[in-house]
């Protein structure tokens, strides 16, 4: 064989071998590899009952309808690391699921790729000496509130107990205790995190402090958190429940919301006023969720709301756990739903009625356009964001969501729910139009001098998948640098969906 023939033969062998190895790497099936190499990790396939039970644990049936190739159930950080080592050998898209609250498809759900469910990472261990609680991301908040009963302490968690721990904390976490203590994420003291390269690290003020800062509202861009150690606060019985009002009380309720956001100085109080339109007849109702961190609120705290006649009143003294479980009754089940958000400055009393009604009417106009969609319910929640919450947050170092305390604000949550996937396009169009029109309305009021011109970032936990969470922040560059440090190859951005930085 000539020298040239030898070289050609060698090159042929090299390319054939390289092609084989390349295709072998990219054809690695995560599910079968884990099942074979790591039998200690539960691997569920579609023929198993538990596979379908896990998929039903989503708030939106659009997420439940996506069928992963398998569901992986790690029990430890090491098992999460083992899964990521396998994923590092292929290019399969995957998803990580905590409580299934996000209705954004592919954020915590997947079709065709593996789903990592954290449901077995479900510890709730209270340390009385340090007054901290170590919580696994697979919990729902009612698991935490139940476990904390009898300790005299509590962590800031979801206002509905069925919200999952993982996504809530990584998105910032707004709770009933936020006026007193800031965002829930402010109180992550330590986290166990599995990075993109499968390394297990601790994030705290003394170890990887930048990573700790980044997970406080930075979403799933920095790793898989396998446990959170949270600061707790004294907790006794609380007062709360809902009052149901007719749509005819809208002007009075909008006035009460505006006044409460500006003038309430009792940080133990909290509200979630929510207007809904439902059905072809466009039935208009309001649910107002009330909370007071004590057995009974002073009469003046909710006076303007109590002066408005209600159809139903369930407010009473109860345990915190009982309240968040009661609020679970208002989670709409067996429907597809979407969620979106916008942030608005609070109008002053002079123009308050005009501005609040203008925002409401902008929402209502789009909401009624989907009234004849089967099962349609449109809602708008007005979440007060007074300066007190930001001031409390800043005392603990702040979070990724960089609101300042220059103004009182309202974080608006927008939801549409409906029965059939055939109506997805109409619901998507309505969702986009709603938050776009409200944003335009807010900007118009700012331009007209009827609202102050202040920083208006978005709240990640309520963002629609098309909204630009990172683009609305001033401090994006800081977190991009941290992401480059812990994930230089952009693993999470390439392989998962979410609000990627």
């Amino acid at each position: 064989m000539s020298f040239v023939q030898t070289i050609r033969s060698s090159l042929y062998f090299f390319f054939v071998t390289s092609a084989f190895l390349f295709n072998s790497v990219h054809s690695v099936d995560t599910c079968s590899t884990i099942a074979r190499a790591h039998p200690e990790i539960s691997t569920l396939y579609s023929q198993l009952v538990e596979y379908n039970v896990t998929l039903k644990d989503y708030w939106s049936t659009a997420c439940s309808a996506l069928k992963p190739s398998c569901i992986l159930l790690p029990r430890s950080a090491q098992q999460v690391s083992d899964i990521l080592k396998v994923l590092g050998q292929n290019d399969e898209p995957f998803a990580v699921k905590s409580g299934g609250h996000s209705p954004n498809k592919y954020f915590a759900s997947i079709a065709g790729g593996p789903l990592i469910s954290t449901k077995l990472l479900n510890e709730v261990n209270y340390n009385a000496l340090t007054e901290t609680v170590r919580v696994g991301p697979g919990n729902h908040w009612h698991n935490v509130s139940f476990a904390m009963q009898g300790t005299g302490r509590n962590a800031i968690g979801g206002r509905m107990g069925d919200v999952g721990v993982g996504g809530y904390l990584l998105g910032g976490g707004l709770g009933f205790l936020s006026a007193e203590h800031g965002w829930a994420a402010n109180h992550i003291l330590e986290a166990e995190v599995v990075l993109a390269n499968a390394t297990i690290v601790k994030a705290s003020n003394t170890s990887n402090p930048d990573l700790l800062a980044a997970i406080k509202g930075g979403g799933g861009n920095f790793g898989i958190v396998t446990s959170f150690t949270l600061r707790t606060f004294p907790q006794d019985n609380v007062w709360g429940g809902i009052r149901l009002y007719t749509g005819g009380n809208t002007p009075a309720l909008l006035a009460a919301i505006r006044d409460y956001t500006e003038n309430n100085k009792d940080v133990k109080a909290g509200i979630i006023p929510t207007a809904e339109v439902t059905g072809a007849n466009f039935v208009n109702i309001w649910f107002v969720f009330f909370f007071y961190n004590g057995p009974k609120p002073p009469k003046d705290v909710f006076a303007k709301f109590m002066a408005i006649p209600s159809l139903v009143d369930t407010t009473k003294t109860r345990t915190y756990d009982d309240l968040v479980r009661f609020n679970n009754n208002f989670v709409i089940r067996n429907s597809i739903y979407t969620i979106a958000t916008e942030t608005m400055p609070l109008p002053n009393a002079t123009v308050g009625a005009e501005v609040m009604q203008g925002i409401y009417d902008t929402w209502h106009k789009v909401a009624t356009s989907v009234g004849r969609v089967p099962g349609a319910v449109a809602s708008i929640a007005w979440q007060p964001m007074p300066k007190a919450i930001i001031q409390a947050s800043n005392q603990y170092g702040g979070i990724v969501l960089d609101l300042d305390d220059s103004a009182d604000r309202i974080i608006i949550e927008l939801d549409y729910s409906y029965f059939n996937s055939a109506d997805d396009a109409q619901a998507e169009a309505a969702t986009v139009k709603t938050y776009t029109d409200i944003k335009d309305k807010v900007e118009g009021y700012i331009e007209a001098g009827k609202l102050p011109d202040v920083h208006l970032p978005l709240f990640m936990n309520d963002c629609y998948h098309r909204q630009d969470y990172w683009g609305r922040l001033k401090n994006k560059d800081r977190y991009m640098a941290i992401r480059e440090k812990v994930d230089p190859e952009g693993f999470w951005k390439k392989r998962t969906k979410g609000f990627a930085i």
Side-chain angles (χ1 to χ4, degrees):
M1 182 181 291
S2 70
F3 176 75
V4 173
Q5 287 174 321
T6 301
I7 293 296
R8 285 177 176 171
S9 177
S10 298
L11 287 173
Y12 175 78
F13 176 79
F14 171 78
F15 285 123
V16 168
T17 304
S18 297
F20 173 77
L21 291 173
F22 179 83
N23 288 330
S24 295
V25 167
H26 284 259
S27 64
V28 169
D29 174 71
T30 304
C31 299
S32 60
T33 302
I34 292 293
R36 182 178 65 254
H38 297 283
E40 71 279 7
I41 300 174
S42 297
T43 304
L44 308 179
Y45 291 98
S46 58
Q47 64 268 30
L48 298 176
V49 171
E50 192 177 353
Y51 173 101
N52 294 293
V53 169
T54 303
L55 285 189
K56 286 184 178 179
D57 190 26
Y58 285 102
W59 285 34
S60 174
T61 57
C63 296
S64 301
L66 299 177
K67 304 302 180 186
S69 52
C70 69
I71 300 175
L72 302 170
L73 298 171
R75 293 177 171 83
S76 66
Q78 183 57 56
Q79 290 186 1
V80 172
S81 174
D82 292 337
I83 293 169
L84 287 178
K85 287 174 184 175
V86 174
L87 284 165
Q89 299 172 31
N90 63 47
D91 57 4
E92 282 192 299
F94 67 96
V96 183
K97 177 182 179 295
S98 173
H101 174 241
S102 173
N104 289 311
K105 291 192 293 185
Y106 302 101
F107 276 36
S109 53
I110 188 76
L115 174 69
I116 303 172
S117 169
T118 62
K119 68 185 293 184
L120 299 183
L121 297 168
N122 60 357
E123 66 173 315
V124 183
N125 291 316
Y126 175 65
N127 185 324
L129 185 63
T130 61
E131 296 182 328
T132 61
V133 60
R134 184 177 163 105
V135 179
N139 285 290
H140 297 267
W141 281 105
H142 52 226
N143 303 131
V144 180
S145 61
F146 179 79
M148 292 298 292
Q149 289 192 118
T151 66
R153 310 285 296 186
N154 196 14
I156 299 179
R159 296 167 294 186
M160 293 182 176
D162 202 33
V163 171
V165 163
Y168 172 89
L169 287 172
L170 294 178
L174 184 59
F176 281 132
L177 301 172
S178 287
E180 286 184 89
H181 307 299
W183 303 94
N186 281 127
H187 305 292
I188 304 172
L189 299 177
E190 182 179 273
E192 183 179 62
V193 187
V194 186
L195 302 180
N197 64 3
T199 302
I200 302 169
V201 300
K202 298 287 187 183
S204 69
N205 286 333
T206 57
S207 178
N208 301 299
D210 282 352
L211 178 59
L212 178 66
I215 66 172
K216 295 180 178 182
N221 290 284
F222 305 94
I224 298 177
V225 179
T226 52
S227 72
F228 300 90
T229 300
L230 306 175
R231 182 184 285 113
T232 68
F233 299 93
Q235 184 70 72
D236 203 339
N237 283 347
V238 302
W239 176 93
I242 66 103
R243 282 167 63 96
L244 172 64
Y245 301 90
T246 65
N249 290 300
T250 293
L253 287 163
L254 292 173
I257 294 165
R258 198 221 67 82
D259 181 75
Y260 174 92
T261 304
E262 180 181 16
N263 297 317
N264 174 58
K265 304 305 177 186
D266 192 333
V267 294
K268 294 181 179 294
I271 57 170
I272 319 174
T274 304
E276 292 190 351
V277 173
T278 182
N281 294 322
F282 309 130
V283 175
N284 296 277
I285 57 173
W286 281 80
F287 291 96
V288 180
F289 294 80
F290 292 94
F291 173 83
Y292 191 79
N293 193 15
K296 193 174 181 181
K299 289 184 179 180
D300 60 330
V301 173
F302 302 119
K304 289 198 172 182
F305 292 98
M306 297 304 167
I308 303 169
S310 64
L311 298 175
V312 175
D313 185 347
T314 69
T315 55
K316 65 177 183 179
T317 304
R318 55 180 95 200
T319 67
Y320 184 93
D321 180 65
D322 179 63
L323 177 63
V324 297
R325 289 176 184 274
F326 168 77
N327 288 347
N328 285 344
N329 292 315
F330 299 91
V331 177
I332 296 176
R333 294 295 188 182
N334 302 313
S335 289
I336 300 169
Y337 90 98
T338 66
I339 188 170
T341 187
E342 189 48 66
T343 308
M344 63 174 286
L346 187 72
N348 62 37
T350 303
V351 298
E354 175 191 351
V355 171
M356 296 292 283
Q357 189 69 48
I359 300 296
Y360 176 90
D361 290 345
T362 299
W363 163 76
H364 193 269
K365 182 177 180 180
V366 186
T368 55
S369 72
V370 299
R372 291 181 174 81
V373 170
V377 178
S379 66
I380 179 171
W382 308 74
Q383 303 176 99
M385 185 53 53
K387 299 172 188 177
I389 293 180
I390 307 309
Q391 291 164 353
S393 173
N394 289 342
Q395 289 179 2
Y396 293 103
I399 65 169
V400 172
L401 179 61
D402 55 357
L403 284 166
D404 57 65
D405 64 357
S406 64
D408 298 314
R409 299 171 177 84
I410 294 175
I411 290 178
I412 299 171
E413 178 186 334
L414 303 160
D415 300 282
Y416 287 94
S417 63
Y418 54 101
F419 290 152
N420 303 315
S421 60
D423 297 309
D424 284 352
Q426 186 173 353
E428 164 129 359
T431 299
V432 173
K433 183 170 176 55
T434 304
Y435 70 72
T436 300
D437 287 0
I438 289 178
K439 181 176 183 290
D440 291 345
K441 193 75 171 178
V442 169
E443 290 175 348
Y445 284 133
I446 292 172
E447 187 175 343
K450 295 179 179 180
L451 286 175
D453 188 2
V454 297
H455 182 42
L456 298 175
L458 298 173
F459 178 35
M460 181 183 282
N461 289 138
D462 290 347
C463 274
Y464 191 56
H465 67 92
R466 294 187 181 277
Q467 292 187 281
D468 186 8
Y469 172 74
W470 291 101
R472 296 274 290 265
L473 298 176
K474 293 180 179 179
N475 58 13
K476 176 181 177 180
D477 289 348
R478 176 191 178 191
Y479 298 103
M480 285 188 69
I482 297 170
R483 199 271 296 165
E484 288 285 342
K485 180 180 176 182
V486 299
D487 182 17
E489 302 299 321
F491 178 78
W492 305 111
K493 187 173 184 177
K494 294 174 184 175
R495 304 286 293 279
T496 65
K497 296 290 185 183
F499 296 110
I501 185 171

